[in-house]
């Protein structure tokens, strides 16, 4: 099931890469656009239908399987020790983030105060960590998957909480391509689980769009950070006003009736 689901994800990326829309797929299959969207959302394909969409994407089934295998061999997270090594060196951290954003060697050295020799050394360290493969002529092959993320409460996330959190929120979020909203509510377990599912889907879409835009020149891309979160939380000032449960009543000997 996981494999078939992964194949559909690869097929979706192939369509997006070739600029093929759901509406175009629907016309060629003789279906409504809503039916095609539902088919991809539920990842419910017969082998015949999968083959038909592969033809629309100008891909072979074997191409999808090969791409899926390569994707599954990539890492989705580093270890605590690997993250600690990266975050402990500011320039190493910078270069790691740059290569995650598919910024090349020449662009790194031209944009930041990192010499060519220094950049080679930093990339070699990332190579030893299994984060990248440093190839001839300083070409960089990223060895992390599209859904790569830093460890929850790991060294890099703690760095963000301690040092970057204030910088991130020191903004009005009022530019056309920015948005922030804080929503409070009381949800059931099922409703909160549904929200978590949608947030995970949004994070995957962000990763997909990031992958699609890699081919654009650096001048047409901007560093963007998406922060999605939901948790059990009540403002401390409110929590302090909650009534404390009275201690359980204990019967003392003097209270007992003969």
């Amino acid at each position: 099931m996981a494999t078939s689901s992964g194949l559909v994800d690869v097929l979706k990326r192939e369509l997006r890469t070739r600029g093929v829309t759901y509406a175009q797929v629907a016309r060629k299959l003789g279906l409504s656009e809503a039916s095609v969207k539902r088919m991809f959302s539920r990842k419910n394909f017969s082998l015949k239908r999968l083959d038909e969409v592969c033809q629309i994407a100008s891909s072979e089934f074997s191409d999808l399987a090969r791409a899926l295998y390569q994707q599954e061999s990539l890492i989705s997270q580093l270890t605590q020790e690997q993250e600690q090594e990266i975050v402990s060196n500011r320039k190493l951290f910078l270069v790691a983030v740059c290569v995650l954003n598919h910024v090349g060697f020449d662009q790194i050295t031209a944009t930041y105060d990192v010499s060519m020799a220094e950049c080679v050394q930093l990339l070699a360290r990332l190579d030893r960590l299994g984060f990248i493969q440093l190839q001839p002529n300083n070409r960089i092959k990223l060895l992390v998957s599209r859904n790569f993320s830093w460890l929850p409460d790991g060294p890099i996330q703690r760095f963000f909480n301690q040092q970057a959190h204030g910088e991130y929120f020191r903004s009005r979020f009022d530019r056309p391509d920015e948005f922030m909203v804080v929503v409070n509510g009381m949800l059931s377990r099922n409703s909160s689980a549904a929200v978590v599912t949608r947030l995970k889907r949004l994070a995957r879409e962000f990763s997909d769009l990031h992958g699609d835009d890699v081919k654009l020149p650096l001048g047409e891309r901007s560093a963007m950070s998406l922060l999605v979160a939901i948790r059990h939380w009540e403002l401390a000032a409110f929590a302090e006003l909650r009534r404390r449960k009275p201690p359980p009543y204990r019967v003392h000997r003097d209270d007992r009736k003969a």
Side-chain angles (χ1 to χ4, degrees):
M1 182 67 179
T3 300
S4 61
S5 174
L7 285 171
V8 174
D9 288 335
V10 173
L11 178 56
K12 189 189 301 184
R13 286 200 299 271
E14 288 297 308
L15 290 170
R16 189 184 295 113
T17 299
R18 288 164 172 73
V20 180
T21 65
Y22 284 148
Q24 291 171 318
V25 173
R27 282 196 297 273
K28 293 187 177 184
L29 295 180
L31 301 173
S32 68
E33 185 176 353
S35 296
V36 171
K37 287 182 178 179
R38 186 162 52 249
M39 189 168 63
F40 273 95
S41 175
R42 296 177 179 175
K43 300 182 179 180
N44 184 16
F45 283 72
S46 66
L47 286 176
K48 178 184 177 185
R49 188 68 79 194
L50 185 64
D51 185 58
E52 289 173 340
V53 181
C54 280
Q55 291 179 30
I56 296 172
S58 301
S59 297
E60 298 289 338
F61 184 85
S62 58
D63 296 331
L64 300 186
R66 192 178 305 110
L68 179 62
Y69 172 77
Q70 292 173 346
Q71 175 181 303
E72 291 180 340
S73 65
L74 300 176
I75 58 174
S76 58
Q77 286 185 328
L78 298 175
T79 65
Q80 287 269 349
E81 293 73 20
Q82 289 170 324
E83 282 200 8
Q84 186 59 52
E85 180 172 348
I86 289 174
V87 80
S88 62
N89 182 311
R90 185 173 58 160
K91 287 190 175 181
L92 183 64
F93 192 11
L94 165 69
V95 173
V97 172
C98 282
V99 298
L100 266 181
N101 289 324
H102 298 271
V103 178
F105 180 89
D106 292 337
Q107 295 169 322
I108 293 172
T109 55
T111 305
Y112 298 102
D113 184 19
V114 179
S115 69
M116 295 178 67
E118 193 175 21
C119 193
V120 169
Q121 292 175 350
L122 294 169
L123 290 171
R125 286 182 66 178
L126 293 177
D127 184 290
R128 288 195 297 273
L129 288 173
F131 193 71
I132 66 164
Q133 183 182 90
L134 184 57
Q135 298 179 331
N137 300 318
N138 297 322
R139 289 182 292 108
I140 304 165
K141 180 180 180 181
L142 197 56
L143 299 181
V144 302
S145 64
R146 292 172 71 99
N147 63 343
F148 175 83
S149 63
W150 303 117
L151 290 170
D153 197 35
I156 290 178
Q157 192 175 93
R158 288 198 294 270
F159 171 86
F160 176 82
N161 291 338
Q162 295 165 6
Q163 300 192 40
H165 182 275
E167 291 181 23
Y168 186 84
F169 288 104
R170 199 177 301 131
S171 169
R172 295 176 60 181
F173 292 90
D174 56 355
R175 291 171 53 175
D177 54 356
E178 295 181 343
F179 177 74
M180 186 184 78
V181 62
V182 177
V183 181
N184 297 106
M186 301 185 75
L187 301 178
S188 67
R189 188 181 298 274
N190 287 342
S191 295
S192 58
V195 173
V196 169
T197 298
R198 291 187 177 96
L199 292 180
K200 288 181 177 179
R201 186 183 306 138
L202 175 62
R204 287 195 299 269
E205 290 175 2
F206 181 91
S207 295
D208 288 343
L209 292 170
H210 164 66
D212 294 342
D213 289 347
V214 165
K215 54 184 174 290
L216 296 175
L218 187 59
E220 295 182 23
R221 296 186 286 145
S222 299
M224 302 289 288
S225 293
L226 172 68
L227 175 66
V228 293
I230 182 172
R231 57 164 291 200
H232 295 279
W233 179 73
E234 183 179 28
L235 193 66
F238 296 167
E240 290 170 0
L241 296 176
R242 280 185 173 268
R243 293 186 185 278
R244 298 293 182 261
K245 291 183 179 180
Y249 178 71
R250 294 181 180 177
V251 179
H252 297 285
R253 287 183 183 177
D254 295 341
D255 295 333
R256 294 174 183 169
K257 294 181 179 181

